[in-house]
Amino acid sequence: MLDASFIARLQDQATLDWHGEPPYSALDGLVQLAADDLSPLDPLVPLILNHHHSNFDLWHEEDKAREPDVSDEHIAAVKHAIDALNQRRNDLVEAIDRMLLENAGTQNPSAPLNSESPGLMIDRLSVLALKLYHTAEEAHRASATESHREKNRARLALLEEQRSDLAACLDALWTEVRNGTRRFKLYRQMKMYNDPELNPAIYTHSTPRKLS
């Protein structure tokens, strides 16, 4: 069910598609990958693409927060959008892990526990796909200096190595889980900033209800 190499290619294709002219869809990446065998990931594909879409939007929303000479209102709106996207990103990581747990079978309770879940590793692969795309842009940007392009070519090679290592670790973890030699849990992120009952910046500014 899990194939890290396919996940990386899926994320790369989606990243290319979504940098085209909007509107774009979280399923656009399937168009170019239609000839591939989706069977290793079939039920996970929509979740992985929707999760990657959240990271894609989050990346570009964070860029907006760094624009110079923008108003406080603009920054506040961007911050609220970032919070909402982060919540969606984490919800989808948990959804990926739930689906994988359902398909992992009964795990060996005595097997060593992996500190990072597959969903969190897929999240890291997603971020690396975005870093690779934007670093490649800088490595080929005609308006940049040659030293800038050379620096980013070196960064690109390092990012490729990091993704290759992470993909191998993800495949190894899933193999060990299926063999009963390692296990993982669903780790809830317990984000507090969007919950009006847990974030004091929200509940201390709420209007108290009048008692009748």
Side-chain angles (χ1 to χ4, degrees):
M1 183 178 188
L2 205 55
D3 181 332
S5 175
F6 181 86
I7 291 171
R9 287 189 293 123
L10 189 67
Q11 291 167 336
D12 281 345
Q13 184 62 60
T15 303
L16 287 170
D17 291 346
W18 298 338
H19 277 98
E21 289 298 316
Y24 45 73
S25 160
L27 299 180
D28 283 347
L30 287 177
V31 175
Q32 297 298 323
L33 287 164
D36 288 280
D37 179 13
L38 294 177
S39 59
L41 284 174
D42 206 2
L44 274 178
V45 165
L47 281 177
I48 288 172
L49 281 172
N50 277 290
H51 165 266
H52 187 52
H53 200 298
S54 294
N55 272 333
F56 176 92
D57 285 343
L58 186 57
W59 178 287
H60 295 93
E61 204 66 30
E62 287 176 342
D63 279 350
K64 294 179 186 177
R66 301 180 183 98
E67 292 176 4
D69 304 321
V70 296
S71 67
D72 291 344
E73 290 80 7
H74 173 86
I75 296 297
V78 169
K79 174 58 178 168
H80 285 302
I82 288 172
D83 284 350
L85 286 166
N86 252 325
Q87 186 68 58
R88 177 166 174 75
R89 169 195 188 183
N90 285 286
D91 289 346
L92 285 163
V93 166
E94 291 181 17
I96 289 169
D97 279 333
R98 276 194 299 271
M99 182 172 286
L100 288 171
L101 280 169
E102 290 170 2
N103 286 272
T106 303
Q107 295 192 86
N108 178 6
S110 63
L113 178 66
N114 208 63
S115 64
E116 189 175 35
S117 73
L120 289 170
M121 296 171 83
I122 291 169
D123 180 60
R124 289 170 58 198
L125 286 174
S126 170
V127 174
L128 281 167
L130 293 166
K131 286 183 178 180
L132 282 161
Y133 176 90
H134 289 284
T135 302
E137 273 192 325
E138 293 302 312
H140 296 91
R141 180 159 62 89
S143 62
T145 64
E146 178 55 30
S147 64
H148 176 89
R149 291 193 293 267
E150 183 178 351
K151 176 183 176 181
N152 280 280
R153 285 193 293 269
R155 286 168 57 92
L156 198 58
L158 182 58
L159 287 167
E160 290 280 12
E161 179 183 353
Q162 289 175 351
R163 182 166 71 169
S164 177
D165 289 346
L166 179 57
C169 289
L170 177 57
D171 281 338
L173 171 60
W174 186 245
T175 297
E176 290 182 67
V177 167
R178 298 304 299 269
N179 291 339
T181 56
R182 189 163 287 275
R183 61 190 172 94
F184 73 95
K185 291 181 179 180
L186 171 65
Y187 285 109
R188 302 296 303 274
Q189 297 304 302
M190 304 296 185
K191 297 295 183 182
M192 301 175 70
Y193 51 77
N194 284 327
D195 191 328
E197 295 185 358
L198 295 177
N199 187 340
I202 299 175
Y203 64 66
T204 56
H205 289 81
S206 298
T207 304
R209 290 184 301 172
K210 293 181 180 180
L211 297 178
S212 54

